[in-house]
Amino acid sequence: MVELEEVIVERVGQFGRYQLIYLLLYGLAAMPYSMIIMSLVIVFDTPDHVCKIPLNGSTWALSNESSIIKANSIPTVTKDGKQVPSSCQMYNLDYSNMTLMEELLDVNFSSGHLEKLACQHGWTYDDSLYQSTMTSSWNLVCDKLPLKNLVEALSLSLGSVIGLPLIGWLTDRYGRKKMSFAVVLLLGIFGEILAFSNGVVMFAIVRILLTPLSPYTPGFPHLMEMVGPRYRPLIGVVMEMYWGLGYSLLALVAYFIRDWRLLSYVMPTFVVPFLVCIWFMPESPRWLYSKGYQKEGAAVLRKLAKGSGRELKDDDSYLCDVTLEEEVKSESALELIKNLTMLRWTLVMCYNWFTAACIYNGLSFYLREFAGNLYVNHFLGGIIEVPACLTFWGLMRFSRRYTFAGAEIFAGLVLLILPFIPDEYLENIGVALASHHGAFWYNWNLDFGICLFF
């Protein structure tokens, strides 16, 4: 008998043409998933808004000709040391009896005794960035802001906490290929349903169901089990690169589609090429051998060897007697906590993912506060993650442990510097990208933590 690892390294080839094609293929699933998940920073964004003011039986919008009305009907508040119109208050005046703008201008606002009250007629939103967002469609502002924040938090976390372990278990039970297809298919279906949400409750439910449908969950083992140990860090690097590319693609598509419903409808269609191409990709040979499908596993190894310029003859009987390094005794997630060493690694990974998610998502949502074009900020915030792939060569030459620790130290230093940067420089796009890049390094190095388990 011969071990599978030995066959891949010495006879099949650690990374050949077919392994490269399959790695590129998963980009067709990973990038749309990144688009759909990160779209929350755009479709749930809050445009500038003020109270609607009914005047002469109508309401006015945020426009140049209404600036005088806004200045004389909306109280101001101090924000970042500047006086800006309040987003949630208006003066208590009988606007319905004012038939001319001049009557509004005759009101004495300088006395400071006019009563202020919450918006009574809804809000009017600035449409210079968006035609509509979920926030503007459902008025999730002012007193409904806590509801918006709750939905955002649940959308990003609850589904993953419940769904990802289940998908991981199903991936081990039914195979990487089948689960990749099923997960991406459901991602497209729920993505389309999301576009037809009729309220914040429906949106939250669908989003919670959608979030754990990550092609990364079956994709990582699918790809890593086809390559040799030397190239497994490459899988983590490139798969993470797809996340940044998908984020940048989202900004590009959103620039041309400013309506949140249309954008939500278009994004899931990007998964169609993957759903077609996945059927030309074989199952993981390791999974096949672990389930007793020796002939099928041998056929996959022969195909991979052909892509590496090698040949495994059909009469190579040893391919049907390949063994795994360790016999799989259980598919339970409890294996992660039964062994003290595995428990320690698991806790470290969980803590790192928790902190990385908080930092990365926080900075992504805060990009709107930086100077410059919003869509350019998001595009650059995603594309700047791609250069991290260059550090793959560091993994090839140095210890994974040192690379892992170095990435965390670098990210931590970048983030620690931010509070000491003056406000006037903090709005610079370069600082925005530096902070986002630092957060990405913190997030990116976690994929190599996965590699430590292989």
Side-chain angles (χ1 to χ4, degrees):
M1 290 188 177
V2 62
E3 292 185 353
L4 177 62
E5 191 94 329
E6 179 183 346
V7 174
I8 292 178
V9 173
E10 298 182 1
R11 306 191 185 189
V12 172
Q14 296 199 53
F15 193 81
R17 182 173 72 253
Y18 286 124
Q19 286 104 321
L20 175 60
I21 292 174
Y22 301 149
L23 177 57
L24 296 176
L25 172 61
Y26 262 99
L28 300 178
M31 287 191 290
Y33 177 73
S34 172
M35 292 176 64
I36 293 173
I37 296 301
M38 294 306 297
S39 66
L40 199 65
V41 304
I42 291 179
V43 300
F44 229 48
D45 196 11
T46 304
D48 292 335
H49 56 282
V50 295
C51 299
K52 277 187 178 180
I53 302 299
L55 190 62
N56 196 19
S58 63
T59 57
W60 52 269
L62 288 175
S63 57
N64 291 332
E65 60 269 19
S66 64
S67 59
I68 297 178
I69 300 178
K70 179 175 67 173
N72 289 278
S73 57
I74 302 296
T76 59
V77 295
T78 302
K79 182 179 181 181
D80 298 329
K82 301 177 182 178
Q83 291 293 314
V84 297
S86 172
S87 299
C88 302
Q89 289 185 322
M90 58 186 291
Y91 286 119
N92 186 14
L93 298 173
D94 188 6
Y95 296 100
S96 60
N97 291 329
M98 296 182 181
T99 57
L100 296 173
M101 185 186 301
E102 288 77 6
E103 296 182 33
L104 179 61
L105 299 180
D106 288 338
V107 179
N108 182 12
F109 293 91
S110 61
S111 64
H113 297 299
L114 288 176
E115 182 184 358
K116 302 173 186 177
L117 69 165
C119 299
Q120 303 295 303
H121 309 281
W123 291 263
T124 181
Y125 295 88
D126 180 15
D127 59 2
S128 60
L129 283 178
Y130 314 103
Q131 291 181 8
S132 69
T133 67
M134 292 181 180
T135 304
S136 62
S137 296
W138 301 326
N139 289 326
L140 300 178
V141 294
C142 299
D143 59 327
K144 292 185 179 179
L145 183 59
L147 175 62
K148 173 180 179 291
N149 294 336
L150 176 62
V151 171
E152 287 178 342
L154 293 178
S155 299
L156 290 170
S157 60
L158 183 59
S160 297
V161 171
I162 299 175
L164 288 178
L166 175 61
I167 293 177
W169 177 77
L170 293 174
T171 298
D172 286 338
R173 184 174 180 85
Y174 296 106
R176 286 73 164 106
K177 178 179 176 179
K178 291 180 181 178
M179 282 306 300
S180 292
F181 177 81
V183 163
V184 175
L185 177 62
L186 290 174
L187 175 67
I189 293 174
F190 281 108
E192 294 295 343
I193 295 175
L194 199 67
F196 297 96
S197 300
N198 58 9
V200 67
V201 174
M202 178 179 176
F203 169 81
I205 294 174
V206 176
R207 180 79 187 196
I208 290 172
L209 295 174
L210 177 148
T211 302
L213 299 175
S214 169
Y216 287 84
T217 306
F220 268 120
H222 196 183
L223 292 170
M224 287 188 176
E225 291 169 358
M226 288 188 180
V227 303
R230 181 184 179 186
Y231 287 90
R232 285 171 187 161
L234 174 64
I235 303 300
V237 171
V238 176
M239 288 292 282
E240 193 62 55
M241 182 187 71
Y242 290 147
W243 181 273
L245 290 175
Y247 187 13
S248 296
L249 182 60
L250 165 66
L252 184 63
V253 174
Y255 177 80
F256 294 100
I257 303 177
R258 304 293 182 98
D259 177 75
W260 76 267
R261 286 192 185 275
L262 181 58
L263 178 63
S264 299
Y265 174 78
V266 169
M267 289 186 297
T269 62
F270 283 74
V271 306
V272 174
F274 177 82
L275 295 175
V276 175
C277 295
I278 185 63
W279 295 110
F280 298 96
M281 185 176 182
E283 180 56 85
S284 159
R286 183 182 182 87
W287 185 85
L288 290 171
Y289 278 111
S290 70
K291 297 299 181 181
Y293 300 112
Q294 282 82 6
K295 292 184 178 180
E296 292 81 355
V300 173
L301 292 179
R302 291 190 183 97
K303 182 175 183 178
L304 296 178
K306 184 178 179 180
S308 299
R310 306 181 184 186
E311 183 179 359
L312 298 179
K313 298 180 181 180
D314 292 339
D315 59 354
D316 287 338
S317 58
Y318 72 88
L319 290 179
C320 293
D321 294 324
V322 169
T323 62
L324 303 180
E325 294 77 4
E326 296 180 2
E327 294 297 329
V328 179
K329 298 179 180 179
S330 174
E331 296 177 345
S332 172
L334 294 177
E335 296 298 321
L336 295 175
I337 61 175
K338 289 181 178 179
N339 180 278
L340 184 59
T341 300
M342 288 297 294
L343 175 60
R344 184 173 66 250
W345 290 355
T346 300
L347 293 176
V348 170
M349 290 297 101
C350 290
Y351 175 76
N352 280 346
W353 274 113
F354 173 79
T355 54
C358 291
I359 296 170
Y360 186 89
N361 292 326
L363 285 173
S364 297
F365 276 93
Y366 196 70
L367 271 180
R368 187 178 187 273
E369 302 298 325
F370 290 98
N373 184 279
L374 173 69
Y375 298 99
V376 174
N377 289 0
H378 282 300
F379 178 83
L380 295 178
I383 205 68
I384 203 170
E385 298 176 3
V386 176
C389 293
L390 297 175
T391 57
F392 162 65
W393 301 110
L395 283 181
M396 299 291 287
R397 300 177 183 178
F398 304 105
S399 166
R400 295 178 185 177
R401 183 187 302 272
Y402 293 136
T403 305
F404 184 87
E408 288 204 346
I409 293 172
F410 175 80
L413 290 175
V414 171
L415 296 172
L416 285 173
I417 292 172
L418 284 179
F420 301 99
I421 298 177
D423 292 341
E424 58 269 23
Y425 297 106
L426 192 59
E427 294 182 353
N428 184 276
I429 183 60
V431 176
L433 294 180
S435 62
H436 202 271
H437 186 57
F440 169 70
W441 269 81
Y442 191 85
N443 192 32
W444 167 80
N445 74 81
L446 299 178
D447 287 325
F448 300 103
I450 297 175
C451 297
L452 295 175
F453 286 96
F454 288 85

